[in-house]
Amino acid sequence: MSRLSEVDRHRALGLLQAGFPISEVSLRMILNRTTNFRVRQRLHETHTVSDRPRSGRPRCTTQRQDRNLVRNHMNNRFLSASASSRHTRERNNQLMSPNTVRRRLSTSGLRARRPYIGPILTQRLRHRRTLWAQEHAAWDRIQWQSVVFSDESRFCIDHADGHGGGKEEKECSSRIIVVVVVVVVVVAVVVAVVVVVGGGGGGAVVVAIAVIVVGVVVVVGVVVFLKDKNS
């Protein structure tokens, strides 16, 4: 049977105080006689029909564990609640949910924050930015037309610094490697054919093999150079 609400308790108590017998009150409210009797008995003992205070759910951590938890997060500011929960479970063989970790940290005044991404502005940099804004506050539209707003983007015209354009750089490197391989193979084949046709005999074969080896070495060197440049 569901728990009797406080409104129904007051209603049953009102009927009892109005002189209705317990049996009739039970029939009207579809309650057990024992329930009505307990409501009247609680009012007589505690002068209220509200529930008595309960101890609540027992805490799964001690005060010492709470202090250790806070200390770990103070030492490692990037430690997440999930990782801390797993670490506590592995070390103490005790179940602790990430929500429990967040509640303990919140009680100690610690809140989750995202790491700041961007330039760290010191007092000197803030002062210089304020001066720059004050100096250019009176500029008109014509003067601002000669200014490019880059939104702190990186622009490298003469070389690649590894930020952005990675796909285009890799495609360009692949094309260069293919061209070098084709050129070296063609040159090696032409030299070998010329030497063999010229009647060089065994020496011609050696020269052809040497040309091919040199071509392979050149190709490997170009590949390594381009990889180092793109990394």
Side-chain angles (χ1 to χ4, degrees), residues 93-113:
N93 194 18
Q94 181 181 8
L95 295 178
M96 180 187 297
S97 65
N99 291 331
T100 302
V101 176
R102 296 186 185 97
R103 285 195 297 269
R104 299 295 185 269
L105 297 177
S106 178
T107 304
S108 302
L110 298 179
R111 300 290 188 274
R113 296 290 186 271

Side-chain angles (χ1 to χ4, degrees), residues 134-179:
Q134 292 175 354
E135 292 174 358
H136 298 79
W139 274 28
D140 54 10
R141 187 173 182 179
I142 298 176
Q143 290 175 307
W144 284 113
Q145 287 180 353
S146 60
V147 179
V148 177
F149 293 93
S150 62
D151 193 20
E152 299 182 0
S153 300
R154 304 168 66 96
F155 295 95
C156 296
I157 300 176
D158 55 347
H159 68 282
D161 60 349
H163 296 275
K167 184 177 180 181
E168 291 78 4
E169 293 177 3
K170 291 181 180 179
E171 292 179 355
C172 182
S173 301
S174 301
R175 296 192 191 98
I176 294 175
I177 293 174
V178 171
V179 171

Side-chain angles (χ1 to χ4, degrees), residues 46-76:
T46 62
H47 304 286
T48 181
V49 294
S50 301
D51 292 335
R52 295 185 178 91
R54 295 180 173 84
S55 59
R57 183 179 179 180
R59 294 169 61 92
C60 64
T61 58
T62 61
Q63 294 183 357
R64 181 179 180 181
Q65 291 175 344
D66 294 343
R67 291 194 299 269
N68 292 334
L69 185 66
V70 174
R71 188 182 302 111
N72 292 335
H73 281 267
M74 290 293 293
N75 294 333
N76 186 3

Side-chain angles (χ1 to χ4, degrees), residues 72-81 83-84 113-116:
N72 292 335
H73 281 267
M74 290 293 293
N75 294 333
N76 186 3
R77 297 301 182 96
F78 295 95
L79 183 63
S80 63
S84 182
R113 296 290 186 271
R114 290 186 177 182
Y116 176 73

Side-chain angles (χ1 to χ4, degrees), residues 182-199:
V182 172
V183 171
V184 171
V185 170
V186 171
V187 171
V189 171
V190 171
V191 172
V193 171
V194 170
V195 173
V196 172
V197 172

